[in-house]
Amino acid sequence: MDSEVSPGEKRPSPDGDSEPPAKRSKALEDRAEPCPPEEEELEEEDVAEEEEPSFAEMMKHGLTEADVGIHNYISQHQGFTGVLKERYSDFVVHEINKEGKMVCLDDLSIPSEAEGTSEVSVDSQVLTDEQKKQLQDLQLTRNREERVEIELVEDTKEQRTLLHQSVKLLFPGLESKTEERDGKKIIVAYHAAGKRALAAPRKHSWPKNRGSYCHFVLYKENKDTMEAINLLSRFLRVRPNIFSYMGTKDKRAVTVQEIAVQKISAERLSHLNKCLMNLKLGNFCYKNHPLKLGELQGNHFSLVLRNVSCSQEQVSEAMASLSQNGFINYYGMQRFGTTAVPTHCVGRAILENNWSEVVDLMLKPRPGAENGHMVACRKEWAESGDAVAALKKLPVKRSLEGQLLRGLIKHGTNNPITAFGMIPRNTRLMYIHSYQSLVWNRMVSKRMETFGLSATEGDLVLKGGSAHVLSAEEALSHTIHDVVMPLPGFDVVYPTHSVGKCYKEMLSADGLDINNMRHRVRDYSLSGAYRRVVIRPQEVHWELIPYDDHRVPLIHTDVEKLEKTPAPVYPKEGKQWALRMDFSLPSSAYATMAVREVLKMDTSIKSQTQLNTIWLK
């Protein structure tokens, strides 16, 4: 996403960037949280890698901005073309924490012993380099029958204890035991069993003077936040729910954010840097509290738009307008999904209490954007309505469709509400928040078309956290930057001018009663929230950069700085021009909507695909 946190109780909502799926490991094949061990083993059966549909084919059935209510601009400059996210490294995001400091990865060291940060006194020298290599290979293999045998130099209890501790703490996911062979004792390292490995984090030997949570900075490339956390949890052999964070981050991007994990030491986390690609962990410290959604102030973005067609004067005018006037604070395209069945359609069916439609929308065949297994699963469901048969077509059961099918098998097709509850709560709420976002986008477009850029009688502003309706006199002392619009719910007020009536009309057309937004299932009752109509970015900087090779990165990342990789050197002349933009936004605001205001063009993936010939090769 271009930003984070979730609109539940009076705050905006978490978003993930819906970008083209890259080929990835099976551990990251779906976004849902792994099921508890009593529901499902940690490991899935091996799956032959499938050829994915081309990106062009996937986006044929995608949404455009007009489909989700994004219509208006507030600036007067002439637009121009440019390609957003031609490379994922062209989109770099750093969190801004609640103290207003930008979160960066600049230290990979482990906190010192003097700070009481050692889980136990482990001397890594008790293992030889060869043994460490064997253990690391064992840790990464999927063959549960393999093991590593370590001969004891000194057959003492103290030596055996040190070896056991070294294996467990330096190589997460491995266990060890002592065996006797030919009168000699050896240490045998092996993989932890799936169910047992998902038990609560080890609490033994956790120092009393150390905070219960290890906070660290997570740098990731081309993975969304839940994908990264699921991967970390699999390597650490713990449940994903012991991790906490302040907001979700884009997939097709390089992002840096703070994560907290309960009673996992910096040593164990640091070791993952040797095992994982496109992830890096650092800046470790211990605290007494986890992180919560919405705690951050915002995000700082460094973006590159490639192959721009504009003059220096055009860019100057566009960027000056963005800095001074801002942009309409629309919910971005990634909020609504990329397939032929948008997430807001599922959300509307949930709110209508139409559960047969919810199941149908999630499981019915849809054109494009899916691989052979999912196509076969949907086809089986459409033809037979047999959840067991359809699930057998899915080798990876933790996809949203797989979890829904498992729910239908467990609770019966006549109990779709409970079956749908098998999907993680945050994901279920994503659907109804998507519908709220659609309503908000459409109503804000209506408001801008009707009343323009001035505050007007009947608009809403926030006073002390509560919405206040402006009188005609009060409107004269306010600007569009003060105005908020509500996401529909049972605990909000609506504008008293004509747009307030439009809310009621849209909800009524969708079979919903604006005066009764409570749902029979409490989780799906919408309290509503307020969102600013216009946002002004802070710390806006920009430059036009000439370049010849689209493969050459134009932004210096945190990892490149740590590895002493030289910063990009821009040529004096080039065949093409790129526009680099740097700015900060509050949480829940979308950087793609700021880019849209600059370019004056549709930023949907469907439209961008037509410009980005590189993605189509």
Side-chain angles (χ1 to χ4, degrees):
M1 136 184 126
D2 299 300
S3 85
E4 17 295 282
V5 299
S6 174
E9 325 290 353
K10 295 281 189 280
R11 61 174 188 258
S13 113
D15 315 289
D17 193 289
S18 298
E19 291 287 346
K23 294 203 173 182
R24 53 187 178 182
S25 69
K26 188 173 67 59
L28 296 180
E29 197 157 324
D30 45 76
R31 295 170 181 245
E33 296 179 38
C35 298
E38 63 271 14
E39 298 280 356
E40 178 176 60
E41 291 286 350
L42 183 67
E43 297 301 325
E44 303 278 1
E45 58 192 273
D46 288 318
V47 186
E49 188 173 331
E50 296 184 71
E51 184 177 347
E52 295 179 348
S54 73
F55 188 60
E57 179 64 28
M58 290 167 58
M59 289 301 104
K60 254 184 211 177
H61 309 281
L63 298 169
T64 64
E65 288 183 347
D67 294 328
V68 295
I70 301 173
H71 297 290
N72 304 94
Y73 301 99
I74 62 175
S75 53
Q76 302 301 315
H77 69 271
Q78 180 182 352
F80 50 92
T81 60
V83 180
L84 176 63
K85 294 187 180 182
E86 183 171 293
R87 300 168 55 87
Y88 69 76
S89 57
D90 287 345
F91 197 96
V92 179
V93 188
H94 288 83
E95 272 186 346
I96 301 172
N97 63 24
K98 58 185 177 183
E99 287 80 32
K101 181 180 177 182
M102 191 164 77
V103 175
C104 296
L105 181 74
D106 53 19
D107 183 6
L108 300 182
S109 65
I110 296 170
S112 68
E113 292 286 336
E115 298 176 33
T117 59
S118 178
E119 195 164 309
V120 288
S121 178
V122 172
D123 181 3
S124 63
Q125 299 307 310
V126 300
L127 294 168
T128 67
D129 290 342
E130 177 61 26
Q131 288 168 342
K132 291 177 185 175
K133 176 67 167 58
Q134 291 175 345
L135 289 166
Q136 184 170 326
D137 290 344
L138 176 65
Q139 183 187 43
L140 297 177
T141 185
R142 296 180 54 82
N143 186 349
R144 291 296 180 255
E145 301 304 316
E146 291 189 20
R147 41 193 260 165
V148 170
E149 297 181 356
I150 303 170
E151 293 188 8
L152 291 164
V153 178
E154 300 177 26
D155 188 4
T156 64
K157 183 177 181 180
E158 290 74 17
Q159 181 74 2
R160 292 195 299 272
T161 300
L162 279 174
L163 282 167
H164 286 304
Q165 290 175 343
S166 296
V167 169
K168 290 180 180 180
L169 298 178
L170 297 178
F171 299 93
L174 300 185
E175 296 285 357
S176 61
K177 61 183 177 180
T178 302
E179 290 185 358
E180 189 165 329
R181 186 173 305 162
D182 299 328
K184 293 182 179 180
K185 290 182 178 178
I186 60 171
I187 303 296
V188 177
Y190 59 95
H191 274 282
K195 289 185 178 181
R196 182 179 162 201
L198 279 175
R202 291 188 183 93
K203 297 180 181 178
H204 64 275
S205 303
W206 190 264
K208 294 181 180 179
N209 64 338
R210 180 201 289 174
S212 295
Y213 296 87
C214 185
H215 288 232
F216 62 94
V217 171
L218 172 66
Y219 168 102
K220 61 182 182 63
E221 297 181 0
N222 208 28
K223 290 178 174 61
D224 69 31
T225 300
M226 277 313 302
E227 285 177 331
I229 285 177
N230 281 339
L231 187 57
L232 295 178
S233 68
R234 290 176 71 87
F235 272 80
L236 292 168
R237 316 297 288 185
V238 297
R239 293 184 180 183
N241 61 7
I242 70 171
F243 291 86
S244 58
Y245 47 90
M246 295 182 288
T248 59
K249 292 292 179 290
D250 289 343
K251 170 181 168 56
R252 190 171 173 81
V254 173
T255 71
V256 185
Q257 68 183 118
E258 186 176 351
I259 304 286
V261 61
Q262 184 181 17
K263 292 193 175 179
I264 299 292
S265 69
E267 288 93 336
R268 293 181 69 187
L269 293 167
S270 176
H271 181 72
L272 297 180
N273 286 331
K274 304 173 185 177
C275 311
L276 302 175
M277 295 182 61
N278 297 331
L279 293 177
K280 192 72 76 173
L281 287 61
N283 296 83
F284 303 103
C285 64
Y286 294 96
K287 298 182 181 180
N288 290 316
H289 58 82
L291 295 170
K292 296 179 181 178
L293 282 172
E295 285 186 321
L296 77 168
Q297 280 193 18
N299 297 280
H300 183 80
F301 297 89
S302 298
L303 314 180
V304 170
L305 305 178
R306 293 186 185 250
N307 197 20
V308 295
S309 58
C310 60
S311 65
Q312 183 91 11
E313 291 71 27
Q314 280 181 290
V315 177
S316 296
E317 186 181 358
M319 296 305 297
S321 176
L322 180 68
S323 180
Q324 295 163 17
N325 303 318
F327 61 95
I328 301 174
N329 193 22
Y330 287 119
Y331 284 98
M333 295 303 299
Q334 55 267 51
R335 185 72 162 164
F336 305 99
T338 55
T339 68
V341 179
T343 52
H344 60 82
C345 292
V346 179
R348 181 177 58 205
I350 294 170
L351 295 173
E352 291 175 334
N353 212 34
N354 187 345
W355 290 98
S356 61
E357 185 177 358
V358 171
V359 172
D360 180 57
L361 287 171
M362 290 192 65
L363 296 180
K364 73 178 183 179
R366 56 184 68 172
E370 293 187 323
N371 61 32
H373 289 306
M374 189 60 73
V375 171
C377 170
R378 295 188 187 283
K379 184 172 184 289
E380 178 64 44
W381 174 260
E383 292 176 353
S384 70
D386 186 335
V388 174
L391 187 62
K392 285 181 179 178
K393 305 289 186 181
L394 283 182
V396 177
K397 316 299 186 194
R398 288 192 304 272
S399 64
L400 298 180
E401 293 81 3
Q403 289 180 317
L404 177 57
L405 287 167
R406 287 171 55 241
L408 293 170
I409 293 168
K410 182 175 181 178
H411 301 288
T413 54
N414 293 326
N415 194 0
I417 298 178
T418 309
F420 184 70
M422 294 287 285
I423 296 172
R425 181 176 183 272
N426 283 348
T427 305
R428 286 183 276 124
L429 296 183
M430 171 193 72
Y431 292 113
I432 58 175
H433 291 159
S434 178
Y435 177 75
Q436 281 183 302
S437 303
L438 176 73
V439 175
W440 196 90
N441 279 0
R442 287 182 175 173
M443 293 301 100
V444 166
S445 289
K446 177 69 70 174
R447 190 247 170 256
M448 298 304 285
E449 291 162 6
T450 306
F451 300 110
L453 289 173
S454 299
T456 190
E457 180 181 6
D459 272 336
L460 303 177
V461 297
L462 293 179
K463 288 189 176 181
S466 299
H468 172 76
V469 180
L470 292 179
S471 65
E473 183 179 359
E474 288 173 325
L476 297 175
S477 60
H478 287 79
T479 71
I480 191 65
H481 297 282
D482 302 317
V483 176
V484 298
M485 293 275 282
L487 285 88
F490 60 77
D491 195 24
V492 294
V493 297
Y494 295 88
T496 57
H497 48 54
S498 59
V499 177
K501 298 176 183 176
C502 294
Y503 273 92
K504 183 176 182 179
E505 291 169 0
M506 179 176 175
L507 291 173
S508 296
D510 288 339
L512 301 173
D513 182 356
I514 197 171
N515 297 312
N516 183 19
M517 297 300 290
R518 295 187 185 274
H519 197 279
R520 57 181 292 190
V521 180
R522 186 176 179 182
D523 271 357
Y524 312 137
S525 290
L526 296 178
S527 61
Y530 298 101
R531 182 176 175 86
R532 291 195 179 277
V533 170
V534 172
I535 291 290
R536 265 191 297 231
Q538 302 298 310
E539 302 171 322
V540 178
H541 303 283
W542 64 274
E543 61 179 319
L544 277 172
I545 302 169
Y547 72 100
D548 293 313
D549 188 347
H550 70 269
R551 295 168 296 181
V552 175
L554 300 178
I555 301 176
H556 205 202
T557 67
D558 287 9
V559 165
E560 289 171 338
K561 293 174 186 176
L562 275 170
E563 294 174 347
K564 309 297 185 187
T565 304
V569 177
Y570 307 141
K572 292 183 179 179
E573 295 182 356
K575 298 176 183 177
Q576 296 174 308
W577 287 90
L579 170 59
R580 172 168 174 166
M581 307 164 60
D582 291 79
F583 53 84
S584 297
L585 294 176
S587 62
S588 87
Y590 286 71
T592 48
M593 293 297 98
V595 171
R596 172 184 181 272
E597 187 69 36
V598 170
L599 295 178
K600 292 286 189 73
M601 63 177 291
D602 191 321
T603 60
S604 66
I605 305 174
K606 184 174 183 177
S607 297
Q608 284 286 306
T609 302
Q610 297 168 5
L611 292 172
N612 194 345
T613 57
I614 292 167
W615 281 2
L616 301 183
K617 290 181 179 178

